[in-house]
Amino acid sequence: MTKIEELDLQAQRIVRQAGKNAYEKMDNGYQVDTKTNYTDLVTTIDRENEQFINQQLRKIDPNSRILSEEGFGDKRILDLTGHIWIVDPIDGTMNFVKQHNNFAVMLALYIDGIPTLGYIVDVVNNHLYHGRHGEGVFKDDQQLTPPANLGLRESLLAMNRTLTLGDNPLLKRVAKEAMGLRMYGSAGIEMIGVLTGQLGGYISNLKPWDLAAGRMLAEELGLVVKSIDGSSINVLSSNLVLVATSQVSRDIRQIIN
Amino acid sequence: MTKIEELDLQAQRIVRQAGKNAYEKMDNGYQVDTKTNYTDLVTTIDRENEQFINQQLRKIDPNSRILSEEGFGDKRILDLTGHIWIVDPIDGTMNFVKQHNNFAVMLALYIDGIPTLGYIVDVVNNHLYHGRHGEGVFKDDQQLTPPANLGLRESLLAMNRTLTLGDNPLLKRVAKEAMGLRMYGSAGIEMIGVLTGQLGGYISNLKPWDLAAGRMLAEELGLVVKSIDGSSINVLSSNLVLVATSQVSRDIRQIIN
């Protein structure tokens, strides 16, 4: 077994365990705080889960660096050399708190900037979406086939609230032209939608931990992951990202360019 | 057993069977047509399911009238006297076709205008939400407790695409002020969200078959079901409807009045 294969197996175990932790505690036994405003939530489970994941990663890959949402990772990661693990201990915290559904645990490994391992746990439905660079994408044990290359008018599109209600008339046209518009409130759940063909595209402002795993898995399936203006992604910063079939991506660029 | 209790049991059997029909055929074995435009879909399963439900209703309640989406019911129902069954054979047809998820079968009985029986089948998760006037609302065998009476800023709100992208600045303010915005593309799934407290409110343009069952169940739980302007609902016509906790309803009326 190669080193990467071994890390892959251990990372699968870690994220499944983190999903189980969140599932067991979601009905009670945690505290909710707000961060920047009343829509920006964090719970003690986000923090516990991040500490758990990071501790485990330090054990299995001691020389790596960790970029994680709640601040228990390494500070000021400014370059992509070596192993960088990117951690979202609960993606869709508002859904976790309000719905007890539609949230995810996400993890990715980038090696010298190359998206190499990716994991999204759909916690409530108990599915792990995972992939290794060049080796395909799996839902649990079952390999996913790349989604059909449909266009915007044949596809459901997910877009976040800020963009949908915002003042950009071109994005509004994109949202109107899609066959239908969806909004689930979790980048992980929306990424799974695109990976499985339930959505033809997803447009959102994404932080590194929202993007890293989904990008790895989407690119592995031949999907397009780009800044909305067509430029390439910097996974260390916030990006306005489109994840889509290549036809949806072309249709959208025709509207916004 | 009263006549209504008997109709209730038989209606539960009918909608569960209709859900099973849709589930078994959703991967293949149907044809998709468009109705008014490329976003307005109907499949042979919608039609088969409606014929099945209506035939069964004719057997168990021969003197009733049936109002149903795909045209196999009674024509020109202009008053609410007697028994009126309202049928949505597949709610969220676009999700049925594109996602194989997030669609519902819905049925309601109104007697002399009073919402008396209501059913929403969450097909893929295999749950039946059902209720009888004065007897509470159940998810399968488990009685639902009324959702906590939270306000708009503590609640997720669902709103459909047309309203979210539309030109009404007050509805936009409502959508911005909610804790979060969601869009699932099925009135049935969105109604379930409000019934279970996963959503604090739902605003949409609803036809009789989109509204009838959810309205019955929501009112039974003490939720508010009103036209967005506060006027009462006419279940025989299209309505711009708000289904919400009473506090969300008050918060929204404060914004739009």
Side-chain angles (χ1 to χ4, degrees), chain A:
Chain A
M1 198 182 286
T2 66
K3 173 72 179 159
I4 291 300
E5 284 167 359
E6 205 175 294
L7 285 175
D8 184 15
L9 287 179
Q10 293 184 302
Q12 289 187 36
R13 177 185 55 77
I14 293 167
V15 292
R16 281 200 185 271
Q17 184 59 48
K20 213 172 277 180
N21 293 346
Y23 188 79
E24 280 167 6
K25 291 178 184 157
M26 73 181 176
D27 288 329
N28 49 47
Y30 62 88
Q31 193 191 312
V32 185
D33 293 314
T34 55
K35 294 194 279 191
T36 56
N37 63 62
Y38 73 96
T39 69
D40 189 9
L41 307 182
V42 63
T43 73
T44 45
I45 309 299
D46 295 73
R47 296 196 179 106
E48 283 171 33
N49 243 10
E50 181 165 311
Q51 288 177 297
F52 167 76
I53 293 169
N54 291 11
Q55 277 163 8
Q56 297 286 314
L57 292 174
R58 299 281 186 217
K59 276 187 208 161
I60 66 168
D61 197 14
N63 295 320
S64 62
R65 291 179 291 168
I66 299 175
L67 178 60
S68 56
E69 180 168 16
E70 308 303 343
F72 300 104
D74 292 290
K75 309 296 173 209
R76 297 183 15 91
I77 296 181
L78 301 172
D79 69 279
L80 284 165
T81 52
H83 284 205
I84 298 180
W85 292 92
I86 304 177
V87 179
D88 195 341
I90 295 184
D91 170 73
T93 299
M94 196 185 289
N95 289 342
F96 173 79
V97 172
K98 291 285 164 185
Q99 304 200 316
H100 301 181
N101 202 354
N102 303 315
F103 62 92
V105 174
M106 297 201 283
L107 175 65
L109 173 62
Y110 282 53
I111 300 182
D112 294 326
I114 294 169
T116 304
L117 299 173
Y119 309 90
I120 305 176
V121 186
D122 175 354
V123 173
V124 172
N125 293 309
N126 195 24
H127 290 303
L128 170 61
Y129 297 81
H130 60 103
R132 200 160 71 228
H133 186 72
E135 302 291 332
V137 176
F138 293 79
K139 175 186 182 181
D140 305 319
D141 295 334
Q142 176 201 345
Q143 184 160 10
L144 296 185
T145 50
N149 188 21
L150 301 175
L152 186 61
R153 290 166 67 117
E154 308 161 288
S155 297
L156 299 176
L157 178 75
M159 200 186 273
N160 73 356
R161 170 165 71 170
T162 308
L163 298 173
T164 305
L165 294 174
D167 293 326
N168 185 328
L170 297 176
L171 281 181
K172 221 168 177 165
R173 252 191 72 200
V174 168
K176 278 186 182 165
E177 190 137 329
M179 183 179 253
L181 189 65
R182 300 291 179 263
M183 210 179 288
Y184 301 125
S186 156
I189 297 301
E190 278 145 332
M191 292 284 193
I192 288 171
V194 184
L195 297 175
T196 58
Q198 296 196 325
L199 299 170
Y202 171 46
I203 302 178
S204 192
N205 287 97
L206 298 177
K207 300 260 175 67
W209 36 84
D210 300 317
L211 171 63
R215 176 199 177 186
M216 187 270 140
L217 298 170
E219 288 182 347
E220 183 66 21
L221 283 174
L223 294 161
V224 173
V225 184
K226 281 218 170 116
S227 292
I228 189 81
D229 61 6
S231 63
S232 60
I233 299 277
N234 175 1
V235 79
L236 292 178
S237 56
S238 250
N239 293 270
L240 177 47
V241 180
L242 168 68
V243 184
T245 68
S246 55
Q247 188 57 52
V248 165
S249 160
R250 267 194 296 273
D251 291 346
I252 290 177
R253 254 179 297 133
Q254 217 156 39
I255 293 172
I256 66 178
N257 286 340

Side-chain angles (χ1 to χ4, degrees), chain B residues 90-155:
Chain B
I90 295 184
D91 170 73
T93 300
M94 196 185 289
N95 288 342
F96 174 79
V97 171
K98 291 285 164 185
Q99 304 200 319
H100 301 180
N101 203 354
N102 303 315
F103 61 94
V105 174
M106 297 202 283
L107 175 65
L109 173 63
Y110 282 53
I111 300 182
D112 294 328
I114 295 171
T116 305
L117 298 174
Y119 309 91
I120 305 176
V121 186
D122 175 353
V123 173
V124 172
N125 293 309
N126 194 25
H127 291 304
L128 170 61
Y129 297 80
H130 59 102
R132 200 160 72 228
H133 186 70
E135 303 291 332
V137 175
F138 293 79
K139 174 186 181 180
D140 305 318
D141 295 334
Q142 177 203 345
Q143 185 160 9
L144 295 185
T145 49
N149 187 21
L150 302 176
L152 186 60
R153 290 167 67 117
E154 308 162 289
S155 297

